[in-house]
């Protein structure tokens, strides 16, 4: 615990000058090739998935955009969420983990071959998932587990292989202590394997609403035991190394870890407050939603205290602003989530567009921003090529303003929807009153989408010159 | 040293993995198993037919669940949708096939109305077909998608085909729309969505109470305009002008403007079908609202019709409705006889 410098001693400290081209760090070409390919594909899924999101958003304003079954709202919505969950965010997080875990274990990745097999499994799964969802074949409309099991099995296998690969890397590490990032990252992989298996196994969720109990658990653990610990783990690496100072408190990270594991697992049923599933599960979920105050404050506080006094470095970096925004969103959405779980407020917000605002502030403001911070922090150092400053800035501001223009109006509109229902107005009122807010969503969504095109361009700009040259350069460096 | 999470990866990840498995059992697998064991259909409910089950599958395939809940919460604001949902309401839903999980009909968003009681609220086939073919043909402000691929356009519909006639501007230029088997299944499913009483052998009083649960909420603030928007506008439209040859206009209509309100009250209490109105026949069917609306509400909505869109007929009171309701003589003779 008193040796947090495992990180610092590992890589060369990164400088954080915005303009300066970085020196490349000496990573094996295999590793660069693997990681960059993951990132490139995740950028593709981001653009594709948010193009779909954008289209869905337009449909709220112009429901007659098309009448083609494959493009209808009910089929494209799970396409949007599943692409972004499994194709974009998961893939990008795994890419970064494939760098961070070996780095902090001071050794090479256990097996590059496994890394490639995982890559193909994950992308094949998402690809066929998209086709089947558009064809109207889905897993009972269960949110985020809509891809039917024969196809999602590929993703699960890919994930198991990632977990095995990382485990072997950590087991054979060349440092004594397991750095905190690796706790979070490998734990996230293990938890998600359990989660996915539990979500798909038959037997205990066949009849009636038994599936709803599992759905609450799955839906929240998807975000709470996969995305959240993964990006937090990555941030425990990238933040100190980019700032060139140790994390404020290692033990706060450990505290957040254990409380995250216990509390988060219990709160799934807050997605079904007032539903006919057993009342005690709902109450337990609400109580632990309040308990989430502990890991969230410990985690976000730890990051912010690490940043304290370094605001200037952050302003001069082009990856750190993403991390700052991500950490702030993490705190905001989590406190917001606790409020949504209270029965009194759930009444107003449940079933409304407020939930959509929460989903995007969390999955986008929190997870995607931290992932971008990691990508901009890492890739230039791997490939030795920097993206243009201007386009990184454009990405940041369009994405940030975009997500605010998207979610703030939906929060207002969602609240008005809930109040309209409470006042006993005709239902259609709650549809028509949303129109202006849906227009704002389309505007914000367009800004977000543009920022993703810019991100894809930046990824292209950061590409390695050629695998061949990469090898030569590395050889030169090591000799 | 050995039992140190920071140094012993087997210990750390062992605890992380098995601890999570244990928590999963406690919070998900065991409760789900328990719920499954308790699963029992309400005594008054009927098994789903083959056709309705097929309809449910289409409901899931098309992702209707992303906009529609089937979940009435035990809170005041949800009373419009029916009585609070109970586990038994969903007991007859189970796994679709080896590939696909049990449908998640509860939903998580209410972009469109709750459908727990849509079978009661909207029992008209004609309306559902028009609405599915193009929701805006019956509800102008709707943002629900159209589902034209559940229909076919043919030159000469065969006997027995379910034909759908759309208002001007909403149908194809040539040919006749007929509902496919999928559309028929979906509508059969929608019409089957109707809450049944919780008890096995409900007394008549309980039955009535369950049926009017939909209505009871609105009691506190009876507002003719709201009742009209929620119950009548889908057919007669907000402007009262109906839809040509399917749903009649209420503007200046004899039923609505004549001094004696009996016919009007009876139309609302007992529904209307197959009646020629001002020389025109209508293909639509109007369902009875006697069980759904209280006398006070019937009076309120009738007064709303009588005093709107340029109509200027004498208003009525809840007592007038009660009188018609309690008059067995009138009750027996349906208005369309
Ligand atoms: C261009 C940017 C985006 C736009 C325009 C957009 C638009 C939409 C729309 C219209 C919906 C359906 C909302 C509804 O059913 O009422 C939706 C749902 C959703 N989107 Fe996005 N989205 C974008 C980016 C993202 C990203 C990057 C993620 C990250 C994973 C994401 C995650 C989700 C989730 C989780 C839902 C389901 C929300 C819920 O059920 O509460 N979206 N999005
Ligand atoms: C302490 C932390 C959090 C709490 C207590 C919390 C609470 C909630 C609650 C109560 C809902 C259900 C809202 C409703 O349907 O009425 C919800 C939905 C959601 N939350 Fe959170 N939240 C937290 C953090 C997060 C984080 C960090 C993420 C993302 C990584 C996230 C992602 C989502 C998503 C995607 C949904 C939409 C689920 C759906 O209906 O499809 N939440 N949250």
């Amino acid at each position: 615990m008193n040796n947090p410098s495992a990180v610092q001693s590992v890589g060369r400290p990164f400088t954080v000058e915005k303009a300066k081209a970085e020196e490349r760090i000496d990573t094996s070409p295999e590793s660069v090739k693997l990681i960059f390919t993951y990132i490139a594909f995740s950028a593709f899924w981001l653009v594709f998935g948010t193009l779909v999101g954008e289209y869905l958003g337009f449909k709220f304003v112009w429901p007659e955009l098309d009448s083609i079954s494959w493009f209808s709202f009910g089929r494209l919505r799970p396409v949007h969420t599943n692409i972004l969950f499994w194709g974009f965010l998961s893939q990008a997080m795994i890419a970064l983990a494939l760098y961070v875990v070996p780095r902090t274990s001071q050794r090479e990745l256990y097996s590059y071959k496994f890394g490639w097999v995982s890559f193909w499994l994950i992308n094949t799964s998402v690809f066929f998932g998209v086709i089947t969802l558009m064809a109207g074949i889905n897993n009972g409309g269960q949110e985020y587990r809509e891809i039917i099991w024969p196809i999602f099995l590929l993703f699960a296998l890919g994930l198991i292989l990632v977990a095995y690969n990382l485990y072997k890397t950590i087991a054979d590490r060349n440092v004594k202590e397991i750095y905190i990032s690796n706790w979070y990252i490998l734990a996230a992989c293990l938890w998600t394997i359990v989660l996915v298996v539990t979500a798909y196994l038959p037997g205990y969720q066949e009849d009636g609403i038994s599936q709803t109990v599992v759905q609450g658990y799955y839906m929240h653990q998807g975000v709470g035991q996969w995305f959240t610990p993964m990006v937090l783990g990555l941030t425990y690496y990238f933040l100190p190394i980019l700032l060139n100072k140790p994390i404020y408190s290692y033990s706060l990270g450990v505290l957040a870890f254990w409380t995250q594991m216990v509390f988060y697992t219990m709160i799934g049923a807050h997605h079904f407050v007032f539903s006919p599933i057993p009342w005690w599960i709902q109450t337990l979920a609400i109580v632990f939603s309040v308990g989430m105050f502990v890991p969230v404050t410990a985690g976000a506080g730890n990051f912010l205290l690490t940043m304290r006094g370094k605001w200037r470095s952050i302003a001069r970096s082009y990856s750190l602003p993403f991390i700052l925004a991500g950490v702030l969103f993490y705190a905001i959405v989590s406190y917001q989530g606790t409020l949504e779980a209270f029965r009194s407020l759930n009444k107003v917000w449940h079933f409304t567009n407020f939930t959509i605002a929460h989903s995007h502030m969390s999955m986008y403001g929190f997870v995607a921003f931290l992932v971008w911070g990691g990508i901009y922090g890492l890739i230039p150092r791997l490939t030795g090529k920097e993206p243009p400053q201007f386009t990184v800035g454009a990405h940041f501001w369009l994405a940030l303003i975009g997500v605010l223009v998207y979610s703030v109006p939906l929060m207002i509109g969602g609240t008005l929807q809930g109040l309209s229902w409470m006042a006993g107005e005709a239902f259609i009122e709650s549809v028509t009153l949303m129109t202006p807010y849906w227009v704002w969503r389309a505007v914000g969504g367009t800004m977000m989408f543009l920022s993703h095109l810019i991100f894809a361009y930046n990824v292209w700009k950061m590409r390695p010159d050629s695998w061949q040259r990469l090898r030569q350069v590395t050889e030169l460096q090591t000799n | 040293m050995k039992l140190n999470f920071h140094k012993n990866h087997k210990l750390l990840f062992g605890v992380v993995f098995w601890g999570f498995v244990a928590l999963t059992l406690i919070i998900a697998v065991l409760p789900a198993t328990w719920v499954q064991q308790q699963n029992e259909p309400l005594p008054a409910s009927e098994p789903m037919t083959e056709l309705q089950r097929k309809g449910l599958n289409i409901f899931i395939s098309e992702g209707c669940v992303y906009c529609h809940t089937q979940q009435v919460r035990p809170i005041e604001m949800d009373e419009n949708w029916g009585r609070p949902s109970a586990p038994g309401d969903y007991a007859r839903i189970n796994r679709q096939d080896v590939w696909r999980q049990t449908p998640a009909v509860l939903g998580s968003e209410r972009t469109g109305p709750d459908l727990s009681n849509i079978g009661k609220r909207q029992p008209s086939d004609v309306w559902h077909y028009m609405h599915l073919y193009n929701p805006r043909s019956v509800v102008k402000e709707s943002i629900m998608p159209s589902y034209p691929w559940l229909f076919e356009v043919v030159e000469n519909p065969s006997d027995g085909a379910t034909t759908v006639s759309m208002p001007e501007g909403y149908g194809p230029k040539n040919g006749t729309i007929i509902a496919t088997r999928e559309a028929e299944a979906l509508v059969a499913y929608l019409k089957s969505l109707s809450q049944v009483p919780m008890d096995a052998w409900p007394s008549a009083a309980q039955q009535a109470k369950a049926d009017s649960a939909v209505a009871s909420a609105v009691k506190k603030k009876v507002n003719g305009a709201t009742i009209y928007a929620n119950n009548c506008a889908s057919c007669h439209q907000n402007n009262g002008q109906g839809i040509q040859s399917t749903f009649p206009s209420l503007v200046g209509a004899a039923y609505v403007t004549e001094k004696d309100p009996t016919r009007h009250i009876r139309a609302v209490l007992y529904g209307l079908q197959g009646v020629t109105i001002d020389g025109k026949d209508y293909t639509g069917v109007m369902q009875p609202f006697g069980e759904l609306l209280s006398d006070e509400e019937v009076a309120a909505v009738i007064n709303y019709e009588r005093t709107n869109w340029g109509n200027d007929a004498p208003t009525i009171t809840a007592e007038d409705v009660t009188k018609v309701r309690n008059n067995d003589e009138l009750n027996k003779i349906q208005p369309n006889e």
Side-chain angles (χ1 to χ4, degrees):
Chain A
M1 207 176 285
N2 45 13
N3 183 21
S5 55
V7 178
Q8 284 205 308
S9 58
V10 181
R12 280 173 219 168
F14 295 136
T15 37
V16 287
E17 295 264 28
K18 256 190 193 169
K20 232 196 226 153
E22 286 294 329
E23 198 181 329
R24 225 174 52 77
I25 43 180
D26 46 349
T27 309
S28 71
E30 280 102 310
S31 153
V32 176
K33 189 171 166 186
L34 180 69
I35 291 168
F36 187 81
T37 314
Y38 268 86
I39 296 289
F41 271 67
S42 82
F44 164 75
W45 287 122
L46 170 65
V47 171
F48 184 24
T50 49
L51 180 64
V52 173
E54 179 77 341
Y55 193 62
L56 289 174
F58 283 170
K59 285 198 166 205
F60 280 83
V61 186
W62 298 288
E64 294 286 3
L65 269 177
D66 73 74
S67 327
I68 301 164
S69 61
W70 282 47
F71 296 150
S72 86
F73 180 86
R75 298 197 192 181
L76 280 187
R77 191 184 191 275
V79 168
H80 168 69
T81 53
N82 283 282
I83 286 183
L84 290 163
F85 271 36
W86 316 121
F88 163 52
L89 288 177
S90 299
Q91 185 159 222
M93 293 186 316
I94 291 173
L96 297 174
L98 288 176
Y99 173 81
V100 170
V101 172
R103 198 79 192 162
T104 52
S105 304
Q106 302 203 0
R107 54 154 293 165
E108 287 266 307
L109 184 65
Y110 172 71
S111 161
Y112 287 109
K113 197 156 143 229
F114 284 1
W116 284 107
V117 177
S118 298
F119 168 80
W120 286 111
L121 285 170
I122 290 170
N123 285 287
T124 313
S125 176
V126 177
F127 177 78
F128 285 107
V130 168
I131 306 253
T132 44
L133 287 175
M134 287 178 81
I137 302 166
N138 71 51
N139 189 32
Q142 304 276 358
E143 261 183 284
Y144 316 139
R145 47 172 170 162
E146 283 111 337
I147 298 179
I148 54 172
W149 69 262
I151 296 175
F152 208 62
L153 184 65
L154 300 179
F155 184 89
L157 290 175
L159 185 63
I160 290 172
L161 216 54
V162 168
Y164 180 72
N165 210 350
L166 297 181
Y167 180 76
K168 288 303 247 184
T169 310
I170 293 173
D172 229 2
R173 65 193 176 281
N174 285 322
V175 281
K176 270 224 182 84
E177 297 216 341
I178 309 163
Y179 183 59
I180 189 77
S181 288
N182 300 341
W183 294 40
Y184 278 93
I185 292 172
L186 186 52
C189 295
L190 296 175
W191 290 336
T192 309
I193 292 167
V194 177
L195 185 64
V196 169
V197 171
T198 310
Y200 278 87
L201 276 188
Y204 44 84
Q205 45 171 336
E206 302 280 284
D207 305 328
I209 54 168
S210 52
Q211 41 80 24
T212 309
V213 177
V214 178
Q215 176 61 15
Y217 157 86
Y218 174 76
M219 221 198 280
H220 214 82
Q221 267 43 263
V223 300
Q225 311 291 51
W226 174 236
F227 296 107
T228 304
M230 260 315 236
V231 281
L232 292 182
L234 294 169
T235 307
Y236 273 108
Y237 174 80
F238 284 109
L239 183 62
I241 207 126
L242 290 169
L243 279 176
N244 195 14
K245 74 182 266 210
I247 193 82
Y248 172 76
S249 161
Y250 201 80
S251 19
L252 266 183
V254 173
L255 170 77
F257 179 81
W258 293 115
T259 43
Q260 162 104 12
M261 166 166 159
V262 177
F263 292 3
Y264 229 123
T265 313
M266 295 302 179
I267 65 180
H270 66 206
H271 290 263
F272 293 100
V273 177
F274 293 120
S275 80
I277 67 170
W279 201 254
W280 68 266
I281 304 189
Q282 301 178 28
T283 307
L284 195 71
I286 297 169
V287 171
F288 278 103
S289 298
V290 179
M292 280 306 292
F293 190 77
V294 177
V296 169
T297 309
N302 206 0
F303 292 141
L304 290 174
L305 287 169
T306 307
M307 293 183 204
R308 199 173 53 173
K310 284 279 193 176
W311 305 118
R312 205 176 270 202
S313 315
I314 295 176
R316 282 166 60 205
S317 154
Y318 54 67
S319 47
L320 282 167
F322 283 97
I323 296 186
L324 174 61
V327 169
L328 289 176
F329 269 115
Y330 174 48
I332 293 167
V333 295
S334 297
Y335 298 141
Q336 178 191 49
T338 300
L339 292 181
E340 284 178 77
F342 290 124
R343 290 206 169 94
S344 50
L345 288 165
N346 191 275
K347 259 188 213 175
V348 187
W349 288 331
H350 192 40
F351 295 148
T352 69
N353 277 262
F354 194 94
T355 315
I356 307 300
H358 173 71
S359 306
H360 288 83
M361 286 164 73
S362 56
M363 298 308 298
Y364 196 90
F366 163 44
V367 186
F369 267 72
L370 287 181
V371 162
W372 285 321
I375 292 176
Y376 284 127
L378 177 64
I379 304 299
R381 277 89 185 179
L382 284 185
T383 62
K385 299 214 343 201
E386 289 207 53
Q389 295 276 313
F390 173 73
T391 51
V392 180
H395 173 191
F396 178 79
W397 288 112
L398 276 175
L400 182 67
I401 297 173
V403 70
L404 291 175
V405 173
Y406 182 118
S407 44
V408 174
L410 286 191
M411 282 164 65
I412 299 171
T415 309
L416 294 177
Q417 261 184 311
L419 293 177
S420 159
W421 296 340
M422 286 182 138
E425 291 175 11
F427 182 86
I428 197 75
E429 290 289 320
S430 69
V431 179
T432 44
L433 78 80
M434 280 304 294
T435 309
Y437 306 101
W438 282 330
V439 171
W440 279 112
R441 185 240 306 268
V443 173
T446 307
M447 296 171 74
M448 289 150 78
F449 179 66
L450 286 178
S451 83
H452 304 155
L453 293 178
I454 297 173
F455 169 67
Y457 171 79
N458 290 341
V459 169
W460 171 249
K461 282 296 196 186
M462 292 187 283
R463 77 194 179 283
D465 279 338
S466 73
W467 309 124
Q468 212 85 46
R469 250 203 68 203
L470 203 62
R471 195 176 294 272
Q472 286 163 4
V473 174
T474 318
E475 274 158 16
L476 272 181
Q477 271 183 1
T478 38
N479 286 341
Chain B
M1 162 79 197
K2 263 273 160 231
L3 285 182
N4 183 336
F5 283 133
H6 297 267
K7 301 199 171 125
N8 184 339
H9 56 267
K10 285 208 179 107
L11 175 74
L12 174 62
F13 295 115
V15 170
V16 159
F17 183 78
W18 292 111
F20 189 68
V21 169
L23 291 171
T24 298
L25 287 176
I26 294 169
I27 200 67
V29 176
L30 294 178
T33 312
W34 183 80
V35 169
Q36 172 153 298
Q37 276 164 1
Q38 306 290 310
N39 192 50
E40 200 169 319
L42 297 177
S45 74
E46 281 171 31
M48 290 175 93
T49 64
E50 238 356 90
L51 192 65
Q52 288 163 2
R53 201 169 282 282
K54 184 175 169 171
L56 169 59
N57 280 346
I58 293 159
F59 190 77
I60 293 295
S61 281
E62 295 299 349
C64 313
V65 287
Y66 298 112
C67 289
H68 291 288
T69 54
Q70 286 180 36
Q71 187 190 151
V72 183
R73 298 170 293 173
I75 48 179
E76 205 184 308
M77 65 193 277
D78 266 23
E79 285 172 2
N80 302 350
W81 304 116
R83 62 153 168 77
S85 298
D89 289 330
Y90 311 91
R92 294 192 186 276
I93 298 175
N94 42 36
R95 203 179 171 95
Q96 309 179 58
D97 50 36
V98 199
W99 313 109
R100 294 173 297 169
Q101 205 129 34
T102 310
V105 294
L106 271 76
S108 64
E109 221 187 317
R110 215 174 254 170
T111 306
D114 185 90
L115 297 180
S116 304
N117 268 315
I118 186 65
K120 250 179 228 154
R121 222 171 37 246
Q122 194 47 275
S124 155
D125 283 338
V126 176
W127 186 89
H128 280 296
Y129 287 126
M130 293 170 70
H131 186 246
L132 285 172
Y133 189 81
N134 187 330
R136 279 150 294 284
S137 68
V138 281
V139 181
K140 296 238 157 23
E141 309 84 354
S142 183
I143 56 144
M144 174 163 145
S146 308
Y147 293 91
W149 59 92
L150 299 177
F151 299 83
E152 269 176 88
V153 178
V154 295
E155 285 303 323
N156 303 303
S158 61
D159 291 345
T162 310
T163 60
V164 181
S165 57
M166 296 296 288
E168 274 295 310
Y170 289 99
K173 292 233 161 49
N174 305 306
T176 311
I177 305 168
I178 58 169
T180 60
R181 191 78 184 138
E182 280 76 34
E184 287 173 358
L186 183 56
V187 171
Y189 171 67
L190 291 172
K191 285 172 63 182
S192 77
L193 290 176
S194 162
Q195 291 181 325
V196 296
M198 300 284 292
D199 310 305
W201 313 112
S203 61
Q206 276 170 320
Q207 175 91 51
K209 203 171 151 218
D211 282 343
S212 66
V214 177
S216 65
V218 199
K219 281 216 176 80
K220 32 187 179 29
K221 31 197 165 195
V222 176
N223 176 336
T226 307
I227 301 171
Y228 182 85
N230 276 333
N231 296 284
C232 323
S234 57
C235 296
H236 295 291
Q237 303 299 303
N238 273 335
N239 57 13
Q241 292 183 345
I243 292 171
Q244 174 202 1
S245 73
T246 317
F247 305 117
S249 167
L250 303 173
V251 181
Y255 269 76
V256 181
T257 49
E258 65 200 0
K259 208 161 150 235
D260 175 10
T262 315
R263 269 212 304 175
H264 193 175
I265 297 173
R266 290 168 74 205
V268 178
L269 285 179
Y270 309 122
L272 212 59
Q273 175 175 9
V275 179
T276 307
I277 296 166
D278 294 340
K280 287 195 201 108
D281 287 327
Y282 293 92
T283 52
V285 177
M286 174 163 153
Q287 71 265 40
F289 286 90
E291 312 228 294
L292 238 43
L293 302 178
S294 68
D295 292 351
E296 218 183 337
E297 288 159 340
V298 171
V301 73
I302 285 182
N303 288 339
Y304 176 77
E305 292 170 275
R306 290 186 156 245
T307 53
N308 254 283
W309 318 299
N311 288 350
D312 189 13
T315 56
I316 65 163
T317 61
E319 283 77 59
D320 296 328
V321 181
T322 316
K323 245 184 264 159
V324 176
R325 225 196 249 275
N326 293 340
N327 189 333
D328 286 344
E329 204 52 32
L330 289 171
N331 202 339
K332 262 179 238 125
I333 314 159
Q334 289 295 307
N336 51 343
E337 279 166 17

